[in-house]
Amino acid sequence: MAGLAALLAVGGLGTALTPTAQAADNPYERGPAPTTASIEASTGPYAVSRTTVSSLAVTGFGGGTVYYPTSTSDGTFGAVAVSPGFTADQSSIAWLGPRLASQGFVVFTIDTLTRYDQPDSRGRQLLAALDHLTERSTVRGRIDSSRLGVMGHSMGGGGSLEAAKSRPSLQAAIPLTGWNTDKSWPEIQTPTLIVGADGDTVAPVGTHSEPFYESLPSSLDKAYLELNGASHFTPNTSNTTIAKYSLSWLKRFIDNDTRYEQFLCPLPRPGLTIEEYRGNCPHAS
């Protein structure tokens, strides 16, 4: 009997420490507890599948590729639509698809209607892509439609600001070396991470990313990451610094996963890959 009692006690202790029991406080937590190594890794804990969406099968944007966790055992996931920049197609931001999906998101890298669409159009196309993803796509059953975000490069980054302005229900926005003629965004209510590059000559931080960040409401969960030794086109290739802070931002605000707060607050310090980081901490619960 003593042995059985000890066994039950150990079993009870094990149950108390399982991720499932811990996740009861936040049903949107996905994946194991994060570490610096896990958020910097090129591949996360989830196997990833992909499906191509033809431009002929959609309206309002140019089709694209959906990357998603293969397993459904953890339930639904948050979703992110990602837009390329001026004259570019989805291949320019394709690396973000499997990288973020393997960490527990459905990611839609899109093509735009034309390569020359301006930020306001790209913003509308990001929203059209999210609507397709959650309402008509073959993976819609894997997505929690209340947990959505947008990302974009250059004019696509400017488009992500436009999308957040138009749809306050979005949970996260991440412009990557964003470009927009509109420099002021006091209307945005979506937690926003602005990523700039110190060597950007196309959308210099002094006339784009910094004014974007400063114009966001002071009460908003917001951050400004300026990459060190980087150019306007740095987001077009796999980049650990972009990935780790984008992932942490998406997890923290789309999934409300406070396990990732440690990577955002206290504010990261300048270093080999970070020229500057600004933000308001701690973030709202």
Side-chain angles (χ1 to χ4, degrees), residues 129-152:
L130 287 176
D131 291 342
H132 175 83
L133 201 56
T134 58
E135 297 170 7
R136 295 177 293 280
S137 76
T138 58
V139 299
R140 61 188 181 277
R142 299 171 182 263
I143 300 169
D144 180 342
S145 61
S146 70
R147 296 187 290 129
L148 305 176
V150 288
M151 298 179 69

Side-chain angles (χ1 to χ4, degrees), residues 169-282:
S169 62
L170 293 177
Q171 301 296 299
I174 307 178
L176 304 172
T177 59
W179 187 100
N180 201 310
T181 56
D182 185 350
K183 313 300 183 185
S184 185
W185 301 92
E187 314 91 342
I188 288 182
Q189 300 175 38
T190 296
T192 301
L193 168 63
I194 305 281
V195 179
D198 63 346
D200 194 335
T201 58
V202 177
V205 293
T207 54
H208 289 78
S209 292
E210 289 184 302
F212 296 164
Y213 171 77
E214 293 297 338
S215 71
L216 294 169
S218 59
S219 59
L220 183 70
D221 287 315
K222 63 177 184 174
Y224 170 72
L225 165 62
E226 185 174 323
L227 302 170
N228 184 32
S231 77
H232 183 70
F233 301 101
T234 294
N236 291 152
T237 54
S238 181
N239 182 282
T240 298
T241 304
I242 291 174
K244 69 185 289 188
Y245 292 108
S246 295
L247 171 64
S248 297
W249 197 263
L250 297 173
K251 285 283 192 178
R252 177 63 183 81
F253 294 106
I254 290 182
D255 287 354
N256 194 31
D257 193 336
T258 55
R259 299 178 301 173
Y260 288 80
E261 179 82 352
Q262 62 183 304
F263 307 113
L264 303 170
C265 296
L267 299 179
R269 295 186 176 186
L272 188 62
T273 63
I274 298 176
E275 174 69 18
E276 182 184 0
Y277 195 105
R278 308 178 204 170
N280 49 6
C281 288

